[in-house]
Amino acid sequence: MTSKRLWYYLIGVMVISFAVLIYYGAEIYRKVPPIPERVMTTEGRLLYTGKDIKDGQNVWQSIGGQTVGSVWGHGAYIAPDWTADYLHREALLLLEALAGKEGRIYKNMGEEEQARYKIILQKELRTNTFDEKTNTIYLSPQRATVQQQLANYYSRLFMDDPSMNKLREAYAIPINTIKNRDRMDKMNAFLAWCTWVCITQRPDDSITYTNNWPHDELVGNIPSSALHIWSGFSILLLLAGLSFMALYYAKNKEEEVEELLPLEDPLRNMKPTPSMRATLKYIWVVGLLILVQMLAGVVTAHYGVEGSAFYGFPLDQYVPQSVSRSWHVQLAIFWIATSWLATGLYIAPAVSGYEPKYQKLGVNILFFALLIVVLGSLTGQWLGVMQKLGLEANFFWGHQGYEYIELGRIWQILLLLGLVLWLVLMLRALMPALKRKDESHHMLLLFIASSVAIAVFYAAGLMYGRQTHMAIAEYWRWWVVHLWVEGFFEVFATVVAAFLFTRLGLLRVVAATRAVLFSTIVFLSGGILGTFHHIYFSATPISVLAVGATFSALEIVPLVFIGYEAYHNYQLSKSTRWIQAYKWPIYCFISMCFWNFLGAGIFGFAINPPIALYYIQGLNTTALHGHAALFGVYGILGIGLMMFVLRGLYPERQWNEKLIASAFWLINIGLFLMLVISLLPIGIMQAIASIKEGYWYARSAEFMQKDIIHFFRWMRVPGDILLGAGELLLVIFIIGLRQGWSLKEKR
């Protein structure tokens, strides 16, 4: 198939997929659960207003939002999911109130009598009492009383009641997390509304706004038929996709031809330009960020076993869990993105053989701009969580409260401007090569297209505001997290890897171009609309669930056959004597293939089908997939790209094999151990608890503080030590390239 025809297919996939994505996005806008003007009792007493709910959302964001437990299943893992927790507590209190209204004690009743009250309870909770004409939600007096009891409970938890110290310890929530009673009242209104969304039937009485999530049989939240149907359909589609890919690879294997490999390294005599040498400082900063991110991860993991301190030191008063976790996640994105950006800046002049005027100045300006964003956003997050900013100031300068997009809006805008500057620098350097229209023309076009996507699609994070409806904010947030990080960065990585191999003369440009175009088509066919699998239960319509389930299954198809790519890369690493100089960048690409298969493929599909995610969204199974995919795939690929750049910047000498080999294997083995002997068993135990007892129980202090859970939390230590040692050796190796201890004899 010609490259031109593949381009038509790629454009068609992009246009159709984004049209569907935007269409169903409009459906989300149209069918969002209402934020009422007021919430009142049926007797006419005002409980709270819509403004209180929106302000409460901002209070929740200011304390860290999705880094302190979760809402609608999205967020951190130590504290509960507040909507599931609130819903179950509300149900228990309401049962007591309903029985007490008749002079009875619910827990003393027989099963048949309790069953009658459960039916009354479900009717009370699930009936949609929103009046569209008056824009008001009406609650019964007894439910209003229960919500006041819960408001008191959460106020004591998030403020300073000494009787809640033990529970705060279990949840890693510092005393006086919220210091102001007015703020606490507003956050209570927000939690009450979020929970109302989880249990209230849609206007057609078919299902709740969150598609019957979270699982809690007491209130009638059980999987709907749609979850079973679309889960089954997704598996059938996966099998069909696998059959198609098997046929493709069988045919492709027959067409393989022996490559005439160069006798010497084609890049050996390439002289780095000033702007290419300027990327070295990016790599040094990446090394520093890796170490700081590792320390933030150690602190965050330790909060799971000692919720208010770090080996006795009251660290939560200075760096709360919500801050350490925000830094851990944000720094991962920063160092991975920086390594990729540096690689792009290095490759552009290398490909074109052209150094534009002031290119080095642009590279240096971008470097300092990125430093400002990193340091400024991390500082802002700390100020926000420590309640040192007003609600508006927090949104712009502090902590947005959304996982992976924790940085304040100003820092978001500055980062977007930095990405645009990076794109301009790339285009300036690549333009002469693009004008040549030789056999690498299509590869260059794809490289530029993926670079444009990286710069542009981050802008989706600006599409929601400070008080945007949560369902809409989640829609746009996953544009960034899924399409930007998991989507177009994946395309960029595929193109860059192909570029490197073609520049080394290991792959024919035409064959590599067609392979990359085909891989991109297959990946984006499922990847774009697969965005919806993240928001099955974020107050979205059933149609979103159907589309997400269908296409997220297709995301797995190319990953199942990624072993073919890994084996091919391994063969290339053994193909000639001189290629040994590039052994460790290639080994990183092979490792990335392994983690893509295991982390994104196996662990990803384990939680992707709607019926699976219904029970295990936001459990340690999500952390399992997240660590394996984010660090295992994108992190190790970032390290591999850095290794390639460093090989070009230090071309004359062999490397210290023992040092870089130790770093490589310790990182991979440490990550594997951390996942399979800690996160995986905890996730499995939580999944069983969620299925048997309810989602609220799988996230509760009662379950998560069991001795067996603590044991497996401590089992992270061996893997963490190996992973940390590997990262430290990696940084020592990078420094040693400058100082000399990482260099050996001449090549």
Side-chain angles (χ1 to χ4, degrees):
M1 190 177 295
T2 65
S3 296
K4 187 175 182 180
R5 177 172 292 185
L6 287 170
W7 271 109
Y8 288 141
Y9 287 144
L10 177 57
I11 293 170
V13 165
M14 295 274 288
V15 170
I16 294 171
S17 296
F18 275 106
V20 175
L21 189 70
I22 292 169
Y23 172 79
Y24 284 106
E27 285 292 284
I28 293 173
Y29 272 81
R30 193 169 65 86
K31 296 181 179 180
V32 292
I35 296 179
E37 186 176 327
R38 63 188 70 82
V39 177
M40 304 182 68
T41 67
T42 51
E43 298 172 336
R45 179 165 61 92
L46 179 67
L47 299 176
Y48 44 89
T49 66
K51 185 178 185 305
D52 292 332
I53 294 170
K54 292 179 180 179
D55 288 343
Q57 178 178 338
N58 296 147
V59 174
W60 167 75
Q61 290 171 310
S62 76
I63 67 171
Q66 291 174 342
T67 66
V68 186
S70 59
V71 169
W72 295 350
H74 292 303
Y77 313 107
I78 297 177
D81 179 88
W82 301 113
T83 42
D85 184 72
Y86 192 111
L87 178 58
H88 193 73
R89 292 179 184 278
E90 183 180 27
L92 294 176
L93 289 172
L94 198 51
L95 281 172
E96 292 179 6
L98 291 169
K101 191 177 179 182
E102 298 179 359
R104 309 288 301 280
I105 299 176
Y106 176 78
K107 64 182 179 181
N108 293 340
M109 295 179 184
E111 289 186 7
E112 291 184 359
E113 287 185 290
Q114 286 186 344
R116 183 174 72 87
Y117 278 100
K118 287 178 184 177
I119 293 172
I120 297 172
L121 168 74
Q122 291 178 16
K123 184 177 180 180
E124 169 84 20
L125 290 175
R126 301 181 74 85
T127 300
N128 193 330
T129 57
F130 174 69
D131 187 331
E132 192 172 354
K133 293 180 180 179
T134 60
N135 199 10
T136 301
I137 293 175
Y138 291 98
L139 302 180
S140 67
Q142 58 263 32
R143 191 173 180 185
T145 300
V146 165
Q147 287 200 357
Q148 185 54 52
Q149 290 175 278
L150 289 170
N152 181 54
Y153 166 80
Y154 288 112
S155 296
R156 291 188 295 116
L157 176 64
F158 282 98
M159 297 184 78
D160 58 359
D161 189 329
S163 68
M164 304 295 278
N165 285 345
K166 185 176 180 180
L167 194 57
R168 274 193 289 266
E169 173 86 9
Y171 293 162
I173 296 174
I175 192 169
N176 271 324
T177 291
I178 296 178
K179 299 175 173 60
N180 181 287
R181 171 60 66 175
D182 180 61
R183 283 194 174 194
M184 190 65 237
D185 290 343
K186 289 175 177 176
M187 194 172 89
N188 278 323
F190 172 69
L191 293 178
W193 175 81
C194 286
T195 307
W196 180 86
V197 170
C198 290
I199 193 56
T200 301
Q201 300 276 105
R202 300 174 190 268
D204 60 4
D205 288 331
S206 59
I207 198 170
T208 73
Y209 286 110
T210 55
N211 297 323
N212 280 5
W213 188 92
H215 174 232
D216 191 340
E217 292 186 13
L218 179 63
V219 297
N221 267 4
I222 58 176
S224 67
S225 58
L227 264 69
H228 295 282
I229 291 169
W230 290 110
S231 295
F233 183 74
S234 71
I235 294 171
L236 291 175
L237 200 63
L238 171 62
L239 294 174
L242 292 177
S243 300
F244 169 76
M245 286 294 286
L247 288 172
Y248 167 78
Y249 274 98
K251 181 177 183 298
N252 188 62
K253 185 175 179 62
E254 294 173 0
E255 295 178 352
E256 285 183 357
V257 296
E258 290 293 325
E259 304 289 346
L260 186 62
L261 301 177
L263 299 177
E264 295 183 356
D265 180 358
L267 302 182
R268 174 71 180 275
N269 297 319
M270 184 186 70
K271 299 297 182 184
T273 67
S275 71
M276 293 165 69
R277 288 194 295 270
T279 61
L280 180 61
K281 66 174 72 70
Y282 285 75
I283 295 175
W284 280 63
V285 166
V286 167
L288 176 63
L289 294 181
I290 287 175
L291 295 181
V292 177
Q293 192 240 346
M294 174 184 68
L295 292 174
V298 169
V299 170
T300 303
H302 189 79
Y303 272 128
V305 294
E306 192 178 3
S308 62
F310 189 78
Y311 294 101
F313 179 77
L315 187 63
D316 70 329
Q317 297 302 305
Y318 307 97
V319 183
Q321 184 273 156
S322 55
V323 171
S324 68
R325 188 179 189 276
S326 295
W327 287 354
H328 181 61
V329 172
Q330 209 63 54
L331 283 168
I333 294 173
F334 279 143
W335 76 254
I336 291 170
T338 301
S339 67
W340 292 31
L341 299 182
T343 303
L345 294 171
Y346 176 87
I347 286 178
V351 168
S352 66
Y354 171 68
E355 173 89 346
K357 193 175 183 180
Y358 303 121
Q359 183 78 354
K360 179 183 177 182
L361 176 63
V363 171
N364 289 335
I365 290 173
L366 177 60
F367 172 77
F368 289 108
L370 290 174
L371 276 184
I372 291 171
V373 170
V374 171
L375 296 175
S377 63
L378 297 182
T379 302
Q381 287 160 15
W382 183 85
L383 291 171
V385 170
M386 300 304 286
Q387 302 290 282
K388 296 182 182 297
L389 299 173
L391 296 183
E392 287 192 28
N394 175 72
F395 178 78
F396 286 103
W397 298 98
H399 200 303
Q400 279 198 43
Y402 295 118
E403 193 179 23
Y404 296 106
I405 312 180
E406 289 96 339
L407 67 172
R409 177 54 52 87
I410 297 297
W411 309 115
Q412 261 189 301
I413 294 171
L414 292 176
L415 179 56
L416 177 61
L417 293 175
L419 291 171
V420 171
L421 174 58
W422 171 77
L423 178 61
V424 170
L425 293 171
M426 297 275 288
L427 292 176
R428 293 175 75 236
L430 287 171
M431 200 55 66
L434 193 62
K435 290 178 180 178
R436 287 198 291 265
K437 294 189 177 181
D438 54 17
E439 61 179 3
S440 64
H441 184 70
H442 289 287
M443 183 80 79
L444 275 171
L445 283 175
L446 194 55
F447 182 66
I448 290 172
S450 62
S451 301
V452 170
I454 286 175
V456 170
F457 274 87
Y458 187 73
L462 305 180
M463 297 300 290
Y464 60 85
R466 181 170 68 91
Q467 295 192 332
T468 296
H469 195 291
M470 275 277 291
I472 295 170
E474 282 294 294
Y475 169 72
W476 289 113
R477 180 172 77 91
W478 286 107
W479 269 58
V480 177
V481 180
H482 185 88
L483 285 176
W484 187 65
V485 177
E486 298 181 40
F488 292 107
F489 263 57
E490 180 91 11
V491 175
F492 180 80
T494 304
V495 178
V496 167
F499 246 123
L500 301 184
F501 285 129
T502 55
R503 292 290 292 175
L504 289 171
L506 302 176
L507 293 177
R508 292 181 297 119
V509 173
V510 174
T513 300
R514 291 174 184 172
V516 169
L517 279 167
F518 180 79
S519 298
T520 302
I521 291 167
V522 173
F523 180 75
L524 293 183
S525 293
I528 294 174
L529 293 176
T531 304
F532 283 144
H533 83 258
H534 297 285
I535 53 174
Y536 291 153
F537 311 116
S538 297
T540 54
I542 287 287
S543 55
V544 168
L545 185 149
V547 173
T550 300
F551 287 91
S552 66
L554 292 178
E555 289 184 90
I556 312 302
V557 171
L559 303 180
V560 173
F561 288 89
I562 207 162
Y564 178 88
E565 182 183 345
Y567 179 69
H568 188 55
N569 289 342
Y570 179 73
Q571 286 182 312
L572 292 177
S573 73
K574 303 291 184 181
S575 56
T576 67
R577 181 181 178 87
W578 61 263
I579 198 63
Q580 290 300 303
Y582 297 92
K583 173 182 177 180
W584 295 108
I586 294 176
Y587 269 36
C588 284
F589 296 157
I590 296 171
S591 174
M592 179 270 293
C593 291
F594 168 78
W595 287 111
N596 226 340
F597 169 74
L598 182 64
I602 302 299
F603 294 155
F605 188 69
I607 65 175
N608 270 7
I611 192 62
L613 204 60
Y614 179 79
Y615 291 108
I616 63 178
Q617 175 171 284
L619 306 185
N620 273 260
T621 46
T622 302
L624 175 76
H625 164 62
H627 281 81
L630 183 60
F631 185 92
V633 178
Y634 300 110
I636 289 179
L637 179 58
I639 292 170
L641 294 176
M642 287 195 304
M643 291 297 103
F644 185 88
V645 172
L646 290 170
R647 180 74 277 174
L649 293 175
Y650 297 94
E652 298 300 325
R653 304 274 292 277
Q654 299 286 359
W655 285 354
N656 183 335
E657 289 283 317
K658 290 183 179 179
L659 190 55
I660 186 60
S662 298
F664 175 84
W665 289 113
L666 285 173
I667 286 172
N668 281 277
I669 294 171
L671 177 61
F672 184 80
L673 290 177
M674 180 189 77
L675 297 176
V676 300
I677 68 175
S678 180
L679 294 181
L680 180 59
I682 293 175
I684 291 173
M685 287 187 288
Q686 280 187 293
I688 294 171
S690 177
I691 294 168
K692 292 176 64 175
E693 303 291 339
Y695 186 82
W696 64 273
Y697 179 67
R699 295 286 301 273
S700 68
E702 178 185 356
F703 181 80
M704 294 303 292
Q705 295 302 309
K706 287 185 174 182
D707 290 341
I708 187 67
I709 299 295
H710 275 301
F711 170 77
F712 281 109
R713 277 176 169 159
W714 279 109
M715 287 301 292
R716 278 190 62 154
V717 172
D720 283 355
I721 289 174
L722 294 180
L723 176 60
E727 291 179 337
L728 181 60
L729 287 178
L730 175 66
V731 175
I732 291 173
F733 172 80
I734 292 172
I735 296 172
L737 291 174
R738 182 68 176 266
Q739 300 302 318
W741 61 71
S742 297
L743 296 172
K744 295 297 182 182
E745 67 278 359
K746 286 193 174 184
R747 291 173 61 190

